[in-house]
Amino acid sequence: MVKSNLTPNVITFNSLFGAHVNATVQHLKAVRAQMHSWDIQADKISVEIYLTVLFQKRLVNMHSPAEAARLIGSFDHDRLLEAAAVVKEARAVGLQLSGLSKQVERALRQMGML
């Protein structure tokens, strides 16, 4: 892409995040860092896709913070820390979160991660 003089944008990274469902936390963090290196700001959709991928698409059918806490509570501490970092970063820049992302935020609060 870069060799073709095309510049990535938020949609590029949303697609890239979505393609990494089975990636390690370290790899996901590297992709997110690459997004930052291009000075690309995440949007509401980016955060939702990233959290969904971070938790390997297990969040699709959750309906409450308690259910979200149960679903994400089975993941390793590194994934929970990364989710908390993404939510904090989104809030720090005044980004409005999607319903799913808000459920994750509430679950992380209940778990003492935020």
Side-chain angles (χ1 to χ4, degrees):
M1 175 179 238
V2 174
K3 289 179 184 176
S4 300
N5 254 354
L6 298 174
T7 304
N9 60 24
V10 70
I11 296 168
T12 307
F13 279 93
N14 288 351
S15 297
L16 194 55
F17 291 148
H20 285 83
V21 174
N22 295 315
T24 64
V25 175
Q26 291 74 21
H27 191 80
L28 287 169
K29 288 168 80 170
V31 173
R32 193 163 68 92
Q34 190 176 29
M35 182 176 167
H36 288 291
S37 75
W38 280 93
D39 291 325
I40 298 170
Q41 178 64 47
D43 61 13
K44 178 180 185 175
I45 296 166
S46 306
V47 173
E48 181 169 319
I49 292 170
Y50 192 84
L51 291 172
T52 300
V53 167
L54 188 62
F55 294 116
Q56 301 171 328
K57 294 192 174 184
R58 295 187 192 167
L59 304 177
V60 177
N61 295 318
M62 68 174 186
H63 302 288
S64 70
E67 189 174 1
R70 182 184 58 77
L71 287 168
I72 68 176
S74 63
F75 284 92
D76 61 84
H77 194 68
D78 286 345
R79 284 188 189 269
L80 297 174
L81 287 174
E82 178 64 0
V86 168
V87 169
K88 284 179 189 176
E89 181 180 298
R91 290 301 191 185
V93 297
L95 195 61
Q96 182 180 3
L97 297 179
S98 69
L100 183 139
S101 298
K102 287 178 186 175
Q103 292 281 28
V104 171
E105 179 182 40
R106 289 182 196 115
L108 291 167
R109 283 193 199 293
Q110 286 181 358
M111 299 169 72
M113 301 296 295
L114 287 175

